[in-house]
Every structure is written in structure tokens, then in C-alpha cells.
Amino acid sequence: MTELLAVITITLLAVISPGPDFAMVTRNSLILSRRAGVLTAVGVGLGVLVHVGYTLIGVGLLIKQSPWLFSTVKLAGAAYLIWLGVKMLRTAPGGPLADAAMAPLSDMAALRTGFLTNALNPKTTVFIISLFMQAMRPDTPLAMQIGYGAFISGVHMVWFSLVALCFSSGAVRARLLAMRHWIDRFFGILLIGFGVLLAVMGGIR
């Protein structure tokens, strides 16, 4: 029971903290559509399963003990976030409200964006590895560990889907879409900032 409460508490605290996942889901919900935001949220949850998977098979321990490997993952994630940010900064100024629908994002593209944003995020690497190695006992059954991983992924999907639903609500979105170019610039700068911070942050403690 103590282990379960620790997993639930730590997961809830981690998922609601602002980060690249939040920025990407919010941006796609505001600029594109509710569907794009929710699919981005689902992609985020699927990205979590990548971290859970390699932690369960022992690669997580290898990453923890190999600074160069963690640095490679970290720099790849940082580069992806910076690339996304630069892409948003290069968005041309929009016209009327209807222009928001001129560049739709396919379902697969929205899903892929959320997936890569999380799967390449070294902060999630640190979170999952630390959670599995510190909050769980060595004798925790594999089936239960898989269940914990599914729970963590599900919480991410649910939370960020709620974020998508909130930021894609009609009244809020209608007012903000008139400023969609500046919203893209804001989230572009935010993602570049996250990327730079991830690139310079320390390794796994």
C-alpha cells in the first residue's frame, strides 16, 4: 500500500508540473483543434510507455550508470524541442480567424508530436527511472510494475486530455485565435527555453 501511494502521489505531482508536454498540448489545442490537442495528449501517454519499457528491461539502469548515454538522450530531446520552437517562431502572421484552419495537422502527426515530445524528454527519463528504482521494492512483481507503468501512462493521457479540452473551449479559443501568431511565438520561445534548459541540466542523481 505504501508503494502504491508513493507511485500515485509522485505521478500526480509530476504530471501537473509545467513542461514541454503541457506546452505542446496547449499550443495544439489553441491553434489547431480540440481533436489535435487530445491526440497530442494520447501521444504523450504513449511516449511515457517508452520510458517505462526500457526501465523494465534494465536499460534504465544502464542509462543511469552511463553518463554519455544519458547525455546523448538529453541532447536529442533538447534538439527536438528547439527545432519545434524554431518552427513555431517561423510561422507567418495569420489573417482572420478562419486562417487557423488553413494548416490542419493530421491525426497521426498530432499523435507523433505528443509521442516524440515525451519520448525524447530526458526529464521523463529521470522521473521514470527514479520512481521505479526508489519507490518500488526489488521484489515487486513484474506484473505490478507493468501495472504501475500503465497507470503512469494513463494519468498523462487523462490529465493532458483535460488540458486540451480546457484550452479548446469555444469562448477562450475564439478570442485567442485572433492572436495565434503571437501564441505560436510564445510557445516557440517556451519550447526553445525548455530545450536549452534540458541541454544544460545535470545528469541523473
Side-chain angles (χ1 to χ4, degrees):
M1 182 60 69
T2 301
E3 180 180 278
L4 177 61
L5 290 176
V7 171
I8 293 175
T9 302
I10 295 172
T11 299
L12 292 178
L13 291 175
V15 76
I16 63 176
S17 62
D21 297 333
F22 182 87
M24 187 53 62
V25 171
T26 302
R27 182 265 176 186
N28 283 353
S29 302
L30 280 173
I31 300 298
L32 300 175
S33 66
R34 173 171 295 180
R35 183 181 181 86
V38 171
L39 286 170
T40 303
V42 173
V44 168
L46 294 176
V48 171
L49 293 178
V50 172
H51 302 285
V52 172
Y54 64 62
T55 299
L56 289 178
I57 64 176
V59 178
L61 181 60
L62 175 62
I63 293 175
K64 181 179 177 64
Q65 296 178 342
S66 303
W68 69 267
L69 184 56
F70 178 71
S71 294
T72 301
V73 174
K74 179 179 66 174
L75 292 176
Y80 179 69
L81 292 179
I82 293 172
W83 175 78
L84 284 176
V86 171
K87 189 177 178 181
M88 291 180 191
L89 288 179
R90 295 177 62 186
T91 302
L97 182 64
D99 286 350
M102 290 180 62
L105 195 67
S106 68
D107 290 352
M108 186 56 66
L111 197 68
R112 183 174 60 247
T113 298
F115 175 80
L116 290 176
T117 300
N118 187 276
L120 293 175
N121 186 353
K123 287 184 63 179
T124 309
T125 300
V126 175
F127 163 62
I128 296 295
I129 294 176
S130 299
L131 180 61
F132 273 73
M133 297 191 69
Q134 297 177 21
M136 299 182 197
R137 302 186 310 275
D139 60 344
T140 299
L142 178 60
M144 187 170 292
Q145 294 185 45
I146 293 174
Y148 288 148
F151 167 77
I152 297 168
S153 173
V155 169
H156 278 73
M157 289 186 188
V158 171
W159 168 252
F160 288 114
S161 290
L162 291 175
V163 170
L165 293 176
C166 175
F167 282 95
S168 62
S169 62
V172 173
R173 186 167 179 265
R175 286 194 294 268
L176 291 177
L177 273 179
M179 304 180 296
R180 72 188 187 94
H181 174 58
W182 295 107
I183 291 174
D184 252 343
R185 287 195 169 193
F186 171 76
F187 282 112
I189 292 172
L190 198 62
L191 286 177
I192 291 173
F194 281 132
V196 172
L197 285 176
L198 290 175
V200 301
M201 75 179 189
I204 302 176
R205 299 299 182 188

